[in-house]
């Protein structure tokens, strides 16, 4: 008899009976993968017999809180993103592109979380390779056990025998459950692997970190397939070409999701960056046109970033527009507002926008800095290296207020900037730091007149 198969989206895990070019759930193209159907669970009486005693629900107020115990990973930026350390018994998924530094981060954590008994399961490296890496990172711990294995049943047996307090699975896509017919890295395998580890973690009370590779072409199931199951989802991002790495929480059952951890990849592993604004602003060009400093709030921290723009006369019929670090549609909107309300003729110009350091500015408070950088490049007049701008730009060219203005201004002043353009109508709420001159503006025209003349 022909074996029945079913199709899974390797992006989001959605199931369909037939192959489709586009996933009906998440809309991704060419991500549907075929996998054999597992035999159905027994029904009715047979199932009852198999399950054993009936489960009993409890009243909410009879449950004890079993306090949410946290422990430190030893890496302050990592702790920050986890919401103040890792929660015991929780399952954390660490996603990111291959080579971004997931294994490095977790291995460094193993070296620093000294009071834990740790099992590091690697399906990608041999024990020798791992030893070499650990040596380079200066990781040496009595209580760190390494297992180079991909068979899930064997891994679970080892966990049972060892009773560690911390388990690292690097990566979920290399593990396989022998009872499933599909290949390692397929949606059913990745789900089964995560489920088994989660079940064990809840029973035994250890904390689990799962590594999940994010891949663009959908050849293996991505971490999004697991997002709804685990307690905490972290994404490790950054450009391979720069040493800057950002750790973000996409989901956190025990803390806020907008905290950002900033790292630098160095010779001997990752180093937390305590003062990211300083690093992001280092190496700014001298008094050049087309650059302005924006201030965004990431979690609880203000962060300064440099927005650069290059506007040149276009050699083509259709002007080229490109945006990196600022949403493309937002950038197009700002260009249109500048043209219509700021009186800048940009129609026949190519425009390129770039945010330094691989950072993404998704907060509208960065609008004004982007607008000023574009105008500065278009007019070829430098804004000056001591200028920052905060404010949202509306469609009529008005400059709208932003949250946490005083926190932003303090950070701007701390990094030695001297002037800041702000929305005029929040002037009264502002406690201006010493040595900072405020430039309140009502709309784009006023802003351009104030800093570009
Ligand atoms: P790795 O942690 O293996 O990435 P992942 O597990 O996410 O696939 O990181 C590999 C990259 O990091 C590799 O390109 C080399 C670089 N690296 C350093 O620059 N310094 C170091 O000390 C280490 C261990 C890695
Ligand atoms: Mg790795």
């Amino acid at each position: 008899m022909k074996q029945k198969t079913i199709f899974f989206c390797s992006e989001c895990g959605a199931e369909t009976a037939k192959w489709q070019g586009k996933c009906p759930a998440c809309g991704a193209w060419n991500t549907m993968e075929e996998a054999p159907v597992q035999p159905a669970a027994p029904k009715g009486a047979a199932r009852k017999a198999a399950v054993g005693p009936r489960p009993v629900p409890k009243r909410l107020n009879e449950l004890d809180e079993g306090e949410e115990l946290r422990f430190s990973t030893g890496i302050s930026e990592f702790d920050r993103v986890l919401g103040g350390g890792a929660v015991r018994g929780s399952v954390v998924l660490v996603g990111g592109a291959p080579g971004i530094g997931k294994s490095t981060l977790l291995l460094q954590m193993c070296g620093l979380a000294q009071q834990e008994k740790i099992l590091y399961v690697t399906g990608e490296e041999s024990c020798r390779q791992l030893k070499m890496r650990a040596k380079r990172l200066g990781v040496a711990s009595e209580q760190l056990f390494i297992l180079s294995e991909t068979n899930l049943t064997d891994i679970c047996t080892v966990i049972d025998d060892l009773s560690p307090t911390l388990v690292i699975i690097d990566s979920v896509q290399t593990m396989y459950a022998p009872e499933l017919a599909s290949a390692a890295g397929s949606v059913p395998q990745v789900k089964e692997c995560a489920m088994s580890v989660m079940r064990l973690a809840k029973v035994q009370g250890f904390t689990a970190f799962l590594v999940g590779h994010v891949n663009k072409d959908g050849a293996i199931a991505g971490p999004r397939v697991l997002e709804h199951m685990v307690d905490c989802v972290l994404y490790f991002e950054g450009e391979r070409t720069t040493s800057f790495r950002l750790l973000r929480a996409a989901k956190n059952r025990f803390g806020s999701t907008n905290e950002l951890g900033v790292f630098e990849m160095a010779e001997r592993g990752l180093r937390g960056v305590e003062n990211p604004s300083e690093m992001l602003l280092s190496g700014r060009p001298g008094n050049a046109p087309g650059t302005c400093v924006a201030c965004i709030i990431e979690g609880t921290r203000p962060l300064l970033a440099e927005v650069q723009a290059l506007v040149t006369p276009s050699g083509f019929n259709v002007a080229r527009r490109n945006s990196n670090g600022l949403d493309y549609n937002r950038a197009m909107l700002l260009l249109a507002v500048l043209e219509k309300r700021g009186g800048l003729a940009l129609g026949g110009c190519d425009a390129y926008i770039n945010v330094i350091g691989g950072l993404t500015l998704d907060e509208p408070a960065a609008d004004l800095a982007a607008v000023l950088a574009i105008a500065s490049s278009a007019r070829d007049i430098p804004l000056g290296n001591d200028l920052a701008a905060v404010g949202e730009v509306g469609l009529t060219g008005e400059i709208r207020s932003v949250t946490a203005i005083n926190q932003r201004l303090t950070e701007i002043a701390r990094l030695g900037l001297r002037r800041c353009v702000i929305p005029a109508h929040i002037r009264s709420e502002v406690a201006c730091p010493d040595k900072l001159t405020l430039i309140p503006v009502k709309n784009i025209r006023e802003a351009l007149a104030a800093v570009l003349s």
Side-chain angles (χ1 to χ4, degrees), residues 318-330:
V318 182
R320 302 225 295 181
R321 302 279 158 93
N322 198 328
S323 172
N324 196 1
L326 190 70
D327 177 63
Y328 180 80
N329 291 321
R330 187 88 202 156

Side-chain angles (χ1 to χ4, degrees), residues 112-340:
L112 293 166
Q114 291 280 355
Q115 65 286 17
E116 308 296 321
K117 185 171 183 185
I118 309 172
L119 176 66
Y120 190 111
V121 186
T122 172
E124 305 192 338
E125 287 167 297
S126 67
C127 287
R128 258 190 70 207
Q129 283 172 317
L130 205 105
K131 173 79 187 173
M132 272 159 58
R133 189 202 283 258
K135 202 171 159 197
R136 186 142 69 96
L137 296 173
V139 172
S141 170
E142 278 289 302
Q143 292 285 66
L144 174 57
F145 296 83
I146 309 292
L147 178 69
S148 181
E149 179 60 71
T150 53
N151 183 329
L152 191 62
T153 318
D154 292 348
I155 294 168
C156 290
T157 319
V158 172
I159 295 177
D160 259 339
D161 294 346
L162 191 69
S163 327
T165 57
L166 185 57
V167 173
I168 290 148
I169 306 285
D170 188 359
S171 61
V172 281
Q173 284 116 342
T174 51
M175 306 297 160
Y176 73 97
E179 66 272 19
L180 298 192
S182 44
S186 63
V187 174
Q189 284 286 7
V190 166
K191 276 189 174 168
E192 177 57 30
C193 168
M195 277 311 282
S196 303
V197 175
M198 267 178 71
R199 243 176 275 136
L200 263 182
K202 301 289 171 204
V203 173
Q204 297 200 356
F206 63 79
T207 311
F209 283 83
L210 310 177
V211 171
H213 290 295
V214 172
N215 74 325
K216 295 271 158 17
D217 52 17
I220 49 170
R224 277 195 53 204
V225 170
L226 304 177
E227 270 182 1
H228 61 283
M229 295 187 204
V230 298
D231 297 310
C232 188
V233 180
L234 310 182
Y235 279 104
F236 210 22
E237 324 169 338
E239 287 174 31
R240 283 268 213 107
T241 46
T242 66
S243 58
F244 214 51
R245 299 283 182 273
L246 302 173
L247 188 66
R248 246 177 235 285
K251 163 180 173 181
N252 193 348
R253 286 196 179 135
F254 314 105
S256 126
T257 51
N258 42 22
E259 281 297 350
L260 178 75
V262 185
F263 295 90
E264 192 185 7
M265 180 64 95
E267 274 293 291
R268 308 193 59 200
L270 290 156
R271 200 169 53 79
V273 178
E274 312 238 304
N275 197 344
S277 298
E278 191 174 76
M279 183 165 160
L280 282 167
L281 293 190
S282 67
R284 284 191 77 193
N287 213 12
T291 142
C292 186
V293 173
C295 182
I296 54 169
I297 303 277
E298 285 283 0
T300 49
R301 258 196 310 195
L303 199 62
L304 298 194
E306 182 187 353
V307 188
Q308 292 193 341
L310 183 66
V311 179
T312 56
S314 182
F316 303 95
N317 285 339
V318 182
R320 302 225 295 181
R321 302 279 158 93
N322 198 328
S323 172
N324 196 1
L326 190 70
D327 177 63
Y328 180 80
N329 291 321
R330 187 88 202 156
M332 293 310 104
L333 184 145
L334 294 178
L335 283 169
V337 174
L338 249 180
E339 178 135 19
K340 181 90 176 171

Side-chain angles (χ1 to χ4, degrees), residues 392-410:
E392 179 179 349
V393 174
L395 288 186
T396 65
E398 83 276 19
I399 308 297
R400 308 178 70 102
S401 63
V402 298
T403 55
I405 182 74
N406 287 322
Q407 214 188 339
R408 295 180 207 251
L409 292 178
T410 311

Side-chain angles (χ1 to χ4, degrees), residues 75-85 259-261 274 300-301:
I75 304 171
S76 63
E77 294 291 301
F78 200 1
D79 284 349
R80 175 204 298 279
V81 181
L82 287 166
E259 281 297 350
L260 178 75
E274 312 238 304
T300 49
R301 258 196 310 195

